Amino acid sequence: MRSLSLACVLVSSAAALLAGCTEEAAAPPEPVAPSPAPAAAAAPPVSYACESGQSVTVAYPDTATARLSYRGQEYVLRTALSASGARFVGSGVEWWIASRGDTENATLSRLGPNEEVGTAVLERCSRPASGPVPVGPAPEQGGPVPASAPPCRAPQLRLSNEGGDAGAGNRVANIGVQNIGTQPCSLTGYPTVTLQDAQGRNLAAIRSEQATGSYFTPGQPPAPVVLAPQARAAFELAWSAIPNEGQGERTCPNAARIRVTAPGDTSPASLDMNLAPCGGRVKVSPVRPLTGAPQPAPEPTV
C-alpha cells in the first residue's frame, strides 16, 4: 500500500512538472524593444548663384538624391549616369554639378522628350566649392566613378559618329569617344583633329580651331571628364557647307577620315567619315560627357 501511494505521488509530481514546462514553452518571449538608432544629421541645403540673377537651392540628403528649389518650385531628382561630376534627373529637369578649382559649377536644364537627357539650359550657376561633389554609383558599372584618372590614350579609345545637325549652311557632328580599356581615364579640354582624304593624305589646307563651348552650348568652358571602362564622352566638330567665294573658293575639299588626338596624348585614333568643310577650317568643341544609348542618325554631310 505504501509503495502504491509513493508511486502515485511521484506520478502526480512528474505530471505537474511536465505541465509547468509545457505552459512555459508555449508562452511567447517578451518582445525586446530595440535601442533607437541615432538619427543621421541631414545635410544642410546649399545655394547656387546663377548668371540670370536667380538662385537654385539644393539639398543632398544622400549621394543618390537631390532636392532642388527653383523659382518657388520643388523638384526631387535621382542620380543618373555621368562620366564627370554628379548628374541628377527627375521632375522634368536635369541638374549637373562639377567642381573645378575653388568653384563648383552647375547647370540646370529641361529634359527632352525621353526624360533622360537635358536639351535646353535653364540656368548656369556656381558657388564656392566647400567639399567634394556628391557622386552616386554609376548604374552601368555598379560602382562610383573615380574623381580623377590618368589621361586617356589612343589604344584605349574608340571613335564613333553619334549623328549631328544641319541648318543655315552650317554642319555639326557629335564625335563619340569611348573608353574600351579596363581602367578609368580622363579627357580635359580640346582634342586635336586632322582631316584626311580617301588616300590617307592629310588635308593641310583645312585647319582645326578650338571653339569655346559647342554648337549647342556656346561659351561653356572645358571641364575634366573621367571615363570609366565602357563609358563615353563626345566633342562637336562643326563646319560651313557654303564655299567662301570671297576667297575664290568654288568647291569645298572632300574628307574621308578624321584623325583625333586626345588632349595630352600624341597618338591619334581614326574614324572614317565623309565631310566637305568650306572656308578652310573646322571648329572643335571641348570634350563633354555623353550619356544615354547611342542614337543612330545620318552623317551631316549635305
Side-chain angles (χ1 to χ4, degrees):
M1 179 65 69
R2 181 175 298 179
S3 299
L4 181 59
S5 300
L6 180 60
C8 291
V9 172
L10 292 176
V11 170
S12 300
S13 301
L17 180 61
L18 180 59
C21 292
T22 303
E23 183 179 357
E24 182 178 354
E30 290 292 328
V32 178
S35 301
V46 293
S47 183
Y48 297 78
C50 305
E51 295 177 354
S52 68
Q54 294 286 334
S55 63
V56 175
T57 302
V58 188
Y60 302 101
D62 52 59
T63 58
T65 308
R67 297 183 178 273
L68 185 146
S69 300
Y70 174 64
R71 290 183 177 267
Q73 299 292 324
E74 300 289 330
Y75 303 88
V76 178
L77 293 76
R78 301 293 294 175
T79 188
L81 179 64
S82 168
S84 173
R87 177 173 169 266
F88 301 85
V89 298
S91 304
V93 298
E94 173 191 75
W95 178 245
W96 203 324
I97 56 176
S99 289
R100 186 183 183 196
D102 297 331
T103 303
E104 185 178 302
N105 297 310
T107 302
L108 178 65
S109 304
R110 182 182 294 110
L111 288 177
N114 60 2
E115 291 292 315
E116 293 180 358
V117 180
T119 57
V121 175
L122 299 173
E123 298 285 357
R124 289 188 175 90
C125 315
S126 64
R127 74 179 187 98
S130 57
V133 176
V135 178
E140 293 183 2
Q141 303 301 324
V145 175
S148 61
C152 297
R153 304 300 181 189
Q156 65 189 126
L157 297 178
R158 176 187 294 152
L159 303 180
S160 61
N161 186 346
E162 299 294 325
D165 202 354
N170 295 309
R171 305 289 184 267
V172 60
N174 289 287
I175 308 302
V177 184
Q178 184 179 23
N179 177 9
I180 59 173
T182 59
Q183 299 297 322
C185 65
S186 63
L187 297 166
T188 304
Y190 299 85
T192 300
V193 177
T194 302
L195 275 60
Q196 293 185 329
D197 62 16
Q199 287 70 45
R201 297 170 298 195
N202 290 347
L203 298 177
I206 302 177
R207 65 186 184 276
S208 174
E209 296 182 352
Q210 296 178 355
T212 303
S214 66
Y215 183 84
F216 297 106
T217 54
Q220 191 170 9
V225 177
V226 177
L227 292 181
Q230 304 307 314
R232 301 181 303 141
F235 66 91
E236 290 176 11
L237 187 66
W239 65 94
S240 171
I242 301 177
N244 190 337
E245 296 182 356
Q247 296 181 357
E249 189 176 50
R250 296 291 183 268
T251 60
C252 304
N254 291 312
R257 181 182 300 107
I258 62 172
R259 289 170 66 81
V260 177
T261 304
D265 196 10
T266 56
S267 300
S270 298
L271 173 66
D272 290 339
M273 179 177 170
N274 295 315
L275 64 156
C278 301
R281 66 176 183 173
V282 293
K283 294 183 178 181
V284 180
S285 78
V287 179
R288 69 182 192 281
L290 183 64
T291 59
Q295 299 295 321
E299 295 183 1
T301 58
V302 294

